[in-house]
């Protein structure tokens, strides 16, 4: 089976968030299962050629966009630590400059962003053809590749499409006339192109949802939630109509990369049996680097994530006085919405002895927070899957999460009496409900035996991609059967 994986991000070559982590890990796990997989993505100029050896395949394709012809050069690298080929599509008019996304907030506010990914999507099938690859399955990720299933249908080959929704909140909408003129198609080419929202926009994630042969999202709970008005962003009807063709597969994490036994960003390697000393060393370094009093008895709560409303940091100000009264420390790392950045900086400015906020993207500091914190906060308003909570558990740091999407599927409430469970889970999106679980965590922290059990429970969870990759193979096989039937 040949699978081409089309993506806008890939960790570590070009990472912004969890989508990159999936793209960097799932194809490797698929290759281990014997799938003949390649990745195809834009060749951003932020991709560091010194770190990731890049060769020119010698192949070029011409793509007609907005009535003009453009040349796309096909370069090649591999996913680091594997032989999985990554084809990098280079074109200075649309694909190369400006980082992975032009927008910092993951929202689309300009045609520039839309154009980039329309152009990329238009180049994917011709580039694969030039490389002599006719995939059985074209696996498309998020709105950036939302038009690809339609392009595959119009091309009429044997390739079937799977569209994976990583985050329904980011949709990629733009004026239909501009989109159609750029891609050079009309509604006669495909009926889904006639769909408009109330602003006469075409919604690229909706195109993917409607046109792909199968659709999935990144956790079973999120697959159910997006059928509701609350989480469906107006697409709940379209998603409901897909019936059994929509499913949820939990993401894994790259357990090779996120591994406290080999992590270079932590001071002392550790496993489940040596977690006490390893985590103590990481905690001391984290406190020291953060400029906080170094004290092993003080509970440290960590947060790493994009600062958007999704991540729920706005619940913190409503509980912070109670938090400070306990003497605990809070270490936050994130970047995103300037309003939330200022809010997190403001909290730290008021209590510099207990709270530290770092604004920015810092992979090394993130690892130190995962390892050195006593608890990891993920109070998300919604969370398609979430990787932070799984990474934290892998490092023996119990997460405190809201029961939504993948957080609900991966974290079970800890019961000190039975020793069962992996973290702390609250339901209502309120500071009150969040505080109840933080207070519970602090109680457990005071009970060394219970806390040690909880840490061990976390570190012995299996979040590797193996299981999830098998579920993806099952979906690919379903597409194959579907193929035979049509
Ligand atoms: P999302 O995809 O919604 O951003 P996930 O939890 O699925 O959230 O994945 C986020 C990934 O990005 C995690 O690996 C997390 O550690 C990383 N990350 C997010 N923000 C930062 C940051 N400011 N610095 C370093 N790593 C970050």
């Amino acid at each position: 089976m040949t699978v081409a994986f089309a993506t806008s991000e890939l960790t570590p070559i070009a990472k912004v968030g969890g989508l990159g982590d999936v793209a960097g890990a799932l194809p490797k796990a698929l290759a281990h299962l014997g799938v003949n997989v390649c990745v195809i993505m834009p060749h951003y100029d932020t991709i560091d050629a010194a770190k990731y050896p890049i060769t020119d395949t010698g192949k070029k394709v011409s793509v007609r966009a907005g009535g003009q012809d453009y040349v796309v050069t096909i370069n090649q690298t591999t996913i680091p630590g594997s032989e999985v080929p990554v084809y990098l599509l280079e074109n200075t008019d649309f694909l190369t400059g400006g980082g992975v996304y032009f927008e910092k907030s993951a929202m689309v506010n300009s045609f520039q962003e839309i154009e980039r990914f329309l152009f990329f999507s238009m180049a994917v099938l011709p580039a694969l053809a030039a490389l002599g690859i006719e995939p059985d399955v074209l696996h498309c990720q998020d709105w950036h590749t939302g038009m690809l299933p339609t392009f595959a249908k119009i091309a009429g080959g044997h390739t079937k499409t799977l569209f994976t929704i990583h985050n329904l909140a980011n949709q990629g909408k733009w004026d239909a006339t501009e989109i159609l003129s750029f891609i050079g198609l009309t509604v006669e080419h495909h009926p889904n192109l006639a769909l408009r929202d109330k602003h006469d926009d075409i919604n690229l994630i909706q195109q993917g949802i409607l046109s792909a042969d199968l659709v999935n999202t990144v956790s079973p709970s999120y697959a159910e939630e997006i059928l509701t008005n609350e989480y469906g962003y107006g697409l709940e009807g379209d998603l409901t109509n897909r019936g059994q063709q929509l499913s949820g597969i939990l993401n894994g994490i790259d357990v090779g990369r996120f591994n406290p036994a080999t992590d270079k960003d932590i001071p002392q390697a550790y496993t489940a049996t040596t977690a006490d000393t390893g985590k103590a060393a990481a905690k001391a370094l984290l406190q020291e680097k953060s400029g906080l009093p170094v004290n092993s008895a003080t509970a440290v709560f960590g947060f790493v994530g994009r600062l958007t409303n999704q991540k729920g940091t706005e619940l913190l100000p409503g509980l912070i006085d109670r938090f400070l009264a306990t003497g605990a420390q809070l270490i936050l790392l994130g970047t995103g919405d300037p309003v939330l950045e200022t809010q997190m900086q403001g909290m730290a400015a008021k209590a510099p002895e207990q709270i530290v906020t770092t604004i920015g993207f810092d992979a090394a500091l993130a690892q130190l927070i995962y390892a050195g914190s006593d608890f990891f906060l993920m109070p998300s308003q919604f969370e398609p899957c979430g990787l932070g909570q799984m990474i934290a558990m892998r490092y023996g740091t119990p997460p405190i999460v809201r029961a939504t999407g993948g957080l609900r599927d991966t974290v079970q409430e800890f019961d000190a009496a039975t020793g069962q469970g992996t973290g702390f889970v609250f339901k209502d999106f309120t500071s009150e409900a969040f505080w109840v679980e933080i207070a519970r965590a602090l109680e457990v922290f005071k009970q060394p035996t219970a806390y040690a059990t909880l840490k061990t429970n976390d570190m012995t969870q299996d979040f590797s991609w193996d299981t999830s990759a098998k579920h993806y193979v099952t979906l690919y096989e379903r597409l194959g059967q579907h193929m035979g039937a049509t």
Side-chain angles (χ1 to χ4, degrees):
M1 176 159 24
T2 302
V3 175
F5 193 97
T7 181
S8 58
E9 300 179 30
L10 189 148
T11 302
I13 297 171
K15 163 168 171 155
V16 178
L19 167 57
D21 288 351
V22 175
L26 174 57
K28 283 201 285 188
L30 291 167
H32 280 143
L33 295 176
V35 178
N36 182 19
V37 60
C38 69
V39 178
I40 186 158
M41 65 183 291
H43 190 162
Y44 310 109
D45 59 10
T46 46
I47 296 176
D48 187 347
K51 269 197 191 157
Y52 311 109
I54 295 170
T55 52
D56 181 350
T57 62
K59 306 262 195 270
K60 290 185 195 306
V61 286
S62 176
V63 174
R64 191 161 182 80
Q68 280 192 53
D69 293 319
Y70 297 92
V71 174
V72 173
T73 303
I74 310 171
N75 301 317
Q76 182 176 354
T77 183
T78 51
I79 300 184
S82 80
E83 285 172 13
V84 176
V86 179
Y87 297 109
L88 299 166
L89 304 189
E90 183 185 343
N91 166 274
T92 49
D93 299 284
F94 298 106
L95 300 179
T96 314
V100 177
Y101 305 117
F102 294 106
E103 300 283 339
K104 209 180 164 196
S105 68
M107 292 296 150
V108 172
N109 296 308
S110 73
F111 190 51
Q112 199 183 24
E113 194 87 283
I114 298 276
E115 229 176 25
R116 159 169 287 182
F117 292 109
L118 285 175
F119 186 83
F120 168 63
S121 301
M122 290 159 84
V124 165
L125 287 165
L128 290 171
L131 292 161
I133 302 168
E134 193 185 351
D136 300 308
V137 177
L138 183 56
H139 186 170
C140 312
Q141 324 300 320
D142 263 354
W143 73 261
H144 320 100
T145 56
M147 206 54 100
L148 254 174
T150 308
F151 294 160
K153 286 243 154 62
I154 293 171
H158 89 278
T159 299
K160 295 287 165 180
T161 51
L162 170 63
F163 184 67
T164 300
I165 301 165
H166 295 264
N167 193 339
L168 195 61
N170 307 332
Q171 301 198 346
K173 296 185 223 181
W174 203 260
D175 178 70
T177 313
E178 269 187 83
I179 288 187
L180 292 179
S181 118
F182 187 76
I183 62 179
L185 295 178
T186 65
V187 296
E188 278 75 43
H189 289 98
H190 198 283
N192 289 347
L193 295 174
L195 283 162
R196 304 282 192 276
D197 76 357
K198 55 178 182 292
H199 304 291
D200 209 19
D201 286 347
I202 283 181
N203 180 341
L204 298 182
I205 208 164
Q206 183 187 32
Q207 293 290 320
I209 290 165
L210 292 169
S211 298
D213 294 299
L214 287 177
V215 180
N216 84 300
T217 184
V218 290
S219 70
S221 283
Y222 193 61
E224 285 173 20
E225 287 169 357
I226 55 178
L227 303 180
T228 65
N229 183 32
E230 189 185 350
Y231 293 93
Y233 290 93
L235 299 179
E236 55 274 15
D238 292 325
L239 288 158
T240 304
N241 287 341
R242 296 297 318 234
Q244 296 300 310
Q245 292 169 337
L246 168 71
S247 59
I249 300 177
L250 202 61
N251 285 334
I253 54 172
D254 188 337
V255 291
R257 211 164 75 78
F258 297 114
N259 183 1
T262 54
D263 196 324
K264 300 270 182 298
D265 293 316
I266 61 174
Q268 192 178 317
Y270 62 92
T271 61
T273 45
T274 55
D276 281 352
T277 48
K279 278 186 68 66
K283 178 171 172 175
L285 184 63
L286 176 63
Q287 287 175 318
E288 188 194 315
K289 276 198 168 177
S290 306
L292 293 173
V294 177
N295 183 345
S296 62
T298 306
V300 173
F301 291 73
F303 171 90
V304 178
R306 290 181 297 115
L307 292 177
T308 67
N309 287 337
Q310 172 185 344
K311 299 295 173 183
T313 51
E314 71 213 60
L315 297 183
L316 287 170
L319 57 79
I320 207 66
D321 290 341
R322 281 171 284 187
F323 180 89
L324 291 172
T326 68
Q329 296 171 345
L330 176 59
I331 299 176
L332 302 147
L333 168 64
T335 176
D337 182 341
V339 175
L340 295 172
E341 288 182 351
T342 307
Q343 190 179 48
M344 294 304 105
Q345 283 171 317
M347 272 189 346
K350 274 198 203 143
E353 288 284 294
Q354 281 176 268
I355 306 179
V356 173
T357 297
T358 305
I359 299 297
F361 192 95
D362 185 337
L365 177 59
Q367 290 318 111
L368 194 59
I369 293 176
Y370 285 121
S373 302
D374 297 305
F375 298 100
F376 187 77
L377 302 178
M378 222 158 149
S380 306
Q381 189 162 16
F382 65 94
E383 195 59 76
C385 177
L387 302 175
Q389 82 283 13
M390 292 192 269
I391 301 170
M393 286 189 265
R394 175 120 173 100
Y395 283 76
T397 304
I400 302 174
V401 305
R402 180 158 175 267
T404 183
L407 297 174
R408 200 178 93 178
D409 294 338
T410 52
V411 185
Q412 288 80 42
E413 180 77 15
F414 180 66
D415 180 345
T418 62
Q420 302 291 309
T422 52
F424 301 89
V425 186
F426 65 99
K427 284 207 174 73
D428 297 339
F429 187 68
T430 61
S431 303
E432 277 311 311
F434 189 16
W435 170 250
V436 168
E437 292 303 317
I438 292 178
R440 284 203 64 226
L442 281 165
E443 280 309 308
V444 171
F445 188 66
K446 287 185 210 145
Q447 305 165 47
T449 315
Y451 182 61
T453 305
L454 172 56
K455 273 195 297 194
T456 309
N457 291 355
D458 284 347
M459 290 193 77
T460 48
Q461 299 289 303
D462 178 8
F463 293 121
S464 69
W465 269 100
D466 299 353
T467 315
S468 311
K470 284 184 193 141
H471 287 302
Y472 274 102
V473 171
T474 306
L475 276 194
Y476 298 157
E477 282 168 356
R478 255 180 87 186
L479 286 167
Q481 284 152 14
H482 185 65
M483 223 152 43
T486 51

